[in-house]
Amino acid sequence: MSIDLTGDYFSLFGLPRRFALDEAALEAAWHALQTQVHPDRHAHLSDAEKRLSMQMATRVNEGFRTLRRPLDRAQYLLELAGVDAALETNTAMSPEFLMEQMEWREAVEEARDAAEAHELEELHRRLLHHAREVRSHLGSQLDDEHDYEAAADTVRRLMFIDKLQQEIDEALLALEN
């Protein structure tokens, strides 16, 4: 029962440090590590060894959660590259992106106000497609170009998209109720 608590999550799971990720390999590595470090397997050990097991299990779970979600994985890669994405303070976006966001938000608001579930579902579908395109571009920025500053901007864009997807989901849920 020994894993490196100081290495990065990619090393922990034996994966290359890239945005493009083999999700099946991540899942398999997570299960294998969980089998090794799960606290229930070490209940018979000393308190110190149980604490260590808990720390390792926590590290494995945190790593899995981070690498499993593309937005979190991108933020983590930026952090590893020493780039502060300034997610809380840098809200500067291109005028084109801001206009696009306003158009998306207006369309969602209109569909929500008119109680048009079909239109909200269509907006959600289109937004998911758009998010896939942006994530693909982000993958190129991180893995191929190593343009971390541009990738930080794209991460901020994806955060807007995720938030808008949540708003659509909430509007659809409200219509169902």
Side-chain angles (χ1 to χ4, degrees), residues 83-148:
V83 175
D84 178 10
L87 300 176
E88 295 81 25
T89 58
N90 187 348
T91 56
M93 295 285 162
S94 72
E96 297 83 18
F97 180 72
L98 293 175
M99 184 60 72
E100 177 185 323
Q101 285 300 307
M102 279 195 326
E103 290 169 3
W104 278 105
R105 289 193 186 283
E106 286 174 7
V108 169
E109 188 176 320
E110 288 172 11
R112 182 181 53 231
D113 291 348
E116 295 178 359
H118 176 73
E119 183 61 25
L120 285 168
E121 289 167 354
E122 176 61 18
L123 287 167
H124 194 271
R125 186 192 63 73
R126 286 179 32 222
L127 192 59
L128 285 174
H129 177 74
H130 180 60
R132 276 192 296 274
E133 290 174 345
V134 173
R135 279 193 299 273
S136 175
H137 182 64
L138 177 61
S140 294
Q141 290 171 325
L142 289 167
D143 294 345
D144 304 329
E145 302 159 17
H146 305 286
D147 187 349
Y148 300 115

Side-chain angles (χ1 to χ4, degrees), residues 5 21 27 31 34 47 62 66 81 97 105 117 138 157:
L5 294 174
L21 187 74
E27 182 102 13
H31 282 294
Q34 272 299 323
D47 286 345
E62 287 171 352
T66 299
F97 180 72
R105 289 193 186 283
L138 177 61
R157 289 171 183 254

Side-chain angles (χ1 to χ4, degrees), residues 1-6 9 12 33-34 37-39 42 47-63 65:
M1 173 190 75
S2 180
I3 65 168
D4 182 4
L5 294 174
T6 61
Y9 294 146
L12 176 65
L33 286 171
Q34 272 299 323
V37 301
H38 196 280
H42 306 283
D47 286 345
E49 291 170 310
K50 286 186 226 177
R51 274 193 303 278
L52 181 60
S53 170
M54 182 63 77
Q55 288 175 333
M56 286 189 261
T58 299
R59 178 84 175 154
V60 167
N61 287 329
E62 287 171 352
R65 277 191 302 273

